[in-house]
Amino acid sequence: TLKVERDKAKQYLKIAEVMMLALDTEGQVVMINKKGCNILGYEEQEIIGKNWFDLCIPPETTREVKIVFDNLINGNYDPVEYYENEILTKYQERRVIAFHNSVIRNETDEIIGTLASGDDITERKQAVEKIRKLSLAVEQSPSIVVITDPEGVIEYANPRFSQTTGYNSEEAIGEKIVSLGEQSGELQKEMWDILISGQEWKGEFYNMRKGGELYWESASISSIKNSEGIITNFIKVAEDITERKLAEKALQ
């Protein structure tokens, strides 16, 4: 029956793990579920009947978001549209919501409002931005940064590595770090014994550029472990200290 279906719909809206929001053609809130209220910090009665754009959209983006809404109401967009925007909570905290919007039509196929499901992606966006900044920092670092697998095979080398050694990233990735000039012998054994035990290795040693020229390098190498404590990678951060060594020798 219609009542049974209506009750099912209400139950779904209540337990949905995303914000469910219905607006009329003027942008007034006609329905919001429990998840939506939790995200916004409002009680349902504090939102119903209020203008969504005045209450929950930051002033500087109100016009942009309203244009998207008006285009939906006027039928200028496809029935379902994905849109990300910031919302303001009751406590003026900003959250980023990924909305999937659709229009609501009456019996005569006239658009009478919109229905949106919104996923709070604030933490995800922050994590992506943090990774982006970290990536830029490594790419632009004045230090050599190299990441290898547990066997010492290079998986990543930043631009400073290429500038210092003469090997571009295509030449380096997939090669063992020792095959690109890293010193072998006792120093190499000591280094790996320390690293596979999970400790950090620090030291200075001769290295070799692509053309065969030797240079001094000061390096710090440490392990990267997964959540289970298993070593998945090694990371080396190093500096070309040749000029410093030459200056010290001249001084002596």
Side-chain angles (χ1 to χ4, degrees), residues 213-226:
E213 177 191 359
L214 292 176
Y215 71 99
W216 274 100
E217 187 170 287
S218 173
S220 170
I221 309 174
S222 55
S223 59
I224 300 173
K225 299 176 182 178
N226 63 17

Side-chain angles (χ1 to χ4, degrees), residues 23-241:
L23 307 178
D24 65 17
T25 55
E26 300 301 317
Q28 308 294 325
V29 179
V30 295
M31 186 278 297
I32 187 166
N33 69 341
K34 183 178 179 181
K35 182 67 174 182
C37 290
N38 290 342
I39 290 173
L40 293 166
Y42 288 105
E43 296 295 329
E44 185 178 2
Q45 62 270 19
E46 295 179 286
I47 301 180
I48 299 298
K50 299 292 177 61
N51 186 284
W52 171 252
F53 305 99
D54 294 339
L55 185 68
C56 296
I57 301 297
E60 71 273 13
T61 59
T62 298
R63 183 175 179 275
E64 176 191 338
V65 177
K66 188 70 163 56
I67 288 173
V68 175
F69 174 77
D70 289 339
N71 276 313
L72 280 171
I73 291 297
N74 294 325
N76 296 333
Y77 281 173
D78 291 335
V80 177
E81 185 72 16
Y82 177 83
Y83 192 77
E84 289 181 13
N85 64 270
E86 282 189 336
I87 55 96
L88 283 176
T89 69
K90 182 177 181 178
Y91 307 104
Q92 300 304 294
E93 178 191 5
R94 293 181 180 233
R95 309 291 298 175
V96 181
I97 308 295
F99 285 105
H100 288 272
N101 299 301
S102 60
V103 295
I104 304 171
R105 299 176 183 270
N106 62 14
E107 295 82 357
T108 59
D109 206 36
E110 178 187 8
I111 295 174
I112 59 172
T114 62
L115 176 64
S117 65
D119 189 13
D120 187 343
I121 59 170
T122 308
E123 280 73 25
R124 191 189 317 163
K125 293 282 281 189
Q126 290 172 344
V128 168
E129 180 61 15
K130 188 180 294 185
I131 292 170
R132 186 189 72 84
K133 288 180 179 178
L134 178 60
S135 176
L136 286 174
V138 172
E139 284 287 302
Q140 298 173 21
S141 173
S143 300
I144 298 165
V145 180
V146 179
I147 298 174
T148 76
D149 69 8
E151 303 301 317
V153 176
I154 297 173
E155 294 184 351
Y156 170 82
N158 74 339
R160 179 60 71 180
F161 168 86
S162 298
Q163 293 164 12
T164 303
T165 66
Y167 294 99
N168 62 41
S169 58
E170 288 77 15
E171 293 172 309
I173 291 172
E175 294 292 331
K176 273 209 168 189
I177 199 165
V178 293
S179 69
L180 297 181
E182 293 282 357
Q183 295 297 294
S184 56
E186 286 302 314
L187 178 63
Q188 196 66 234
K189 183 179 184 305
E190 173 201 328
M191 180 189 300
W192 283 104
D193 286 346
I194 290 173
L195 290 175
I196 61 176
S197 72
Q199 300 177 66
E200 179 183 21
W201 182 90
K202 288 185 179 181
E204 297 178 356
F205 53 89
Y206 264 131
N207 211 333
M208 187 181 294
R209 306 190 204 276
K210 184 178 179 181
E213 177 191 359
L214 292 176
Y215 71 99
W216 274 100
E217 187 170 287
S218 173
S220 170
I221 309 174
S222 55
S223 59
I224 300 173
K225 299 176 182 178
N226 63 17
S227 58
E228 297 173 352
I230 298 171
I231 295 174
T232 59
N233 299 90
F234 293 108
I235 181 168
K236 180 178 88 167
V237 179
E239 305 279 350
D240 179 349
I241 59 169

